[in-house]
Amino acid sequence: MDKIFFIGIIIGVLSRIIMLNLDEKQYPAQPNVLVSQIVLAFVASSLGALLVPALLERSYTSITFLSLAAEQFRQVRNNRRDTLQSLESTQLVSRGNSFIEDIARTYEIRNYMCIVTSFLTVALYHALNSEFKVKDPTALIVSSLFGLILAYILRRSISRQCIGDIAEISIVDVSFVDTSILKVGDFQGLTNVALKEDREKYLKYAVGIKIMPRDNSYKNASIIAYVGQRQAICYNLYSRLGILKQIVEPAFTPLPRKNPKNQCLYLAFFPIEKDERKIIEAVKSCPILDSARGKNIALNNMKIEGKEIV
């Protein structure tokens, strides 16, 4: 049982490392955060691997350690939330409370995945070895492969949709009407830019972005229109492309606005590198927040024109 215990830990940690790649794409993190997640994965995997021998020995009181672990991981979630919220004032483009809560929840759930992976890996080994009389080397190999496959399946199952799955993104022109009213694409009234030098900078450096709900679906439009999701899109652009903006330049803060006629979202952004392909990819890669998903079932069967989706 000693060998499978360590294999269970290794499989659990590997499952977290596999998910770290997913986290880095959806929630860009710093190296110290990654190290802390690997350490927590080791703790979670150890608990999952120890659970099977504890149950075999009928040491049911050891299950109480799972409740302690759950409380610890919940505290990790709270700490992550508090850390990100404390950094909001230092961001040129803020994440927003909805995005922060989504990130904190993700950090908690990933640790539970480690427990599940290591527990089922060790449990399968015991079942093969004791119930089906499979020899030790074969049982180790089969359970290890099962653990890796399970880690991959869990990674796929918890991969969230991105904006690119529900919307079409295009680059549009930035201009002004009535001297100072910002117009992005065919939508005017995004904001009022009073200073002439600010308007000149918009015309020279800003990129207009149009986000159109796919399939003219009200369901997709409601996700894009959610305030927290809009802010997450802006932060995703900022974290991947940077922004030509100083703290003392509030006029250049991205302000997504919805056109009520077609439910499209428009914004003007100041990327450091004016590469249209990268801008579109940055918008598409923004994860859809759990809180952005509407609860109105009627929206699932409605088009923006008011007709049912065929």
Side-chain angles (χ1 to χ4, degrees):
M1 206 66 178
D2 291 339
K3 292 180 180 179
I4 192 57
F5 170 72
F6 289 111
I7 289 177
I9 293 177
I10 292 171
I11 295 296
V13 173
L14 283 176
S15 70
R16 186 66 185 96
I17 292 174
I18 291 172
M19 295 176 196
L20 282 177
N21 176 260
L22 180 65
D23 288 349
E24 183 63 25
K25 289 181 179 179
Q26 297 184 342
Y27 311 111
Q30 302 79 25
N32 60 324
V33 176
L34 302 182
V35 171
S36 68
Q37 287 304 298
I38 293 176
V39 172
L40 287 171
F42 174 79
V43 174
S45 302
S46 300
L47 288 171
L50 282 171
L51 187 58
V52 174
L55 292 175
L56 291 176
E57 296 295 328
R58 291 181 170 80
S59 178
Y60 300 118
T61 56
S62 61
I63 299 178
T64 57
F65 284 105
L66 289 178
S67 62
L68 295 175
E71 182 61 32
Q72 180 61 38
F73 296 145
R74 194 172 298 113
Q75 187 60 41
V76 169
R77 171 181 175 177
N78 294 334
N79 290 341
R80 186 62 180 154
R81 181 196 301 116
D82 294 342
T83 299
L84 293 177
Q85 287 178 340
S86 67
L87 293 174
E88 279 290 82
S89 61
T90 67
Q91 302 283 357
L92 292 176
V93 178
S94 62
R95 290 183 178 89
N97 291 332
S98 297
F99 199 14
I100 288 175
E101 186 60 35
D102 223 60
I103 295 172
R105 187 185 301 116
T106 298
Y107 273 77
E108 178 186 9
I109 292 174
R110 296 294 197 262
N111 292 311
Y112 299 143
M113 297 297 99
C114 295
I115 294 177
V116 171
T117 304
S118 61
F119 170 75
L120 293 180
T121 298
V122 176
L124 178 63
Y125 168 82
H126 174 74
L128 292 174
N129 195 257
S130 60
E131 300 298 329
F132 298 98
K133 307 303 179 183
V134 178
K135 294 183 179 179
D136 193 65
T138 304
L140 283 172
I141 294 173
V142 172
S143 57
S144 299
L145 290 175
F146 168 79
L148 291 174
I149 294 172
L150 178 62
Y152 178 75
I153 293 174
L154 290 175
R155 182 190 185 279
R156 292 293 300 270
S157 66
I158 62 178
S159 297
R160 63 180 68 248
Q161 280 188 307
C162 296
I163 292 297
D165 297 320
I166 65 165
E168 301 290 343
I169 294 86
S170 58
I171 302 299
V172 294
D173 295 330
V174 174
S175 60
F176 287 92
V177 295
D178 297 332
T179 305
S180 61
I181 304 301
L182 180 62
K183 180 181 180 181
V184 177
D186 57 358
F187 180 64
Q188 66 182 42
L190 198 72
T191 187
N192 189 331
V193 183
L195 297 178
K196 181 180 179 181
E197 53 267 31
D198 288 347
R199 294 196 296 270
E200 291 175 350
K201 190 172 181 179
Y202 263 99
L203 295 175
K204 185 176 182 180
Y205 299 110
V207 175
I209 302 171
K210 177 182 178 181
I211 305 174
M212 182 176 65
R214 184 166 289 177
D215 301 325
N216 287 333
S217 169
Y218 264 121
K219 179 182 178 182
N220 295 337
S222 66
I223 293 173
I224 298 171
Y226 179 66
V227 176
Q229 186 66 63
R230 297 189 203 183
Q231 192 59 41
I233 292 172
C234 293
Y235 180 80
N236 211 57
L237 280 164
Y238 164 60
S239 65
R240 284 161 170 75
L241 303 174
I243 186 171
L244 290 173
K245 172 185 178 296
Q246 302 297 327
I247 296 177
V248 294
E249 295 177 323
F252 305 136
T253 300
L255 297 172
R257 292 286 187 265
K258 182 183 74 172
N259 186 341
K261 294 181 180 180
N262 57 13
Q263 301 297 314
C264 294
L265 198 68
Y266 296 83
L267 73 147
F269 189 77
F270 289 81
I272 292 178
E273 182 182 1
K274 206 170 180 179
D275 187 318
E276 294 186 1
R277 182 186 61 81
K278 291 182 180 179
I279 293 170
I280 292 175
E281 287 302 317
V283 176
K284 285 183 175 182
S285 66
C286 179
I288 296 176
L289 308 183
D290 290 337
S291 55
R293 296 185 179 278
K295 306 300 181 184
N296 193 336
I297 300 176
L299 294 178
N300 296 343
N301 300 316
M302 294 294 294
K303 276 190 175 181
I304 292 173
E305 294 84 0
K307 298 178 181 179
E308 291 189 356
I309 296 176
V310 180

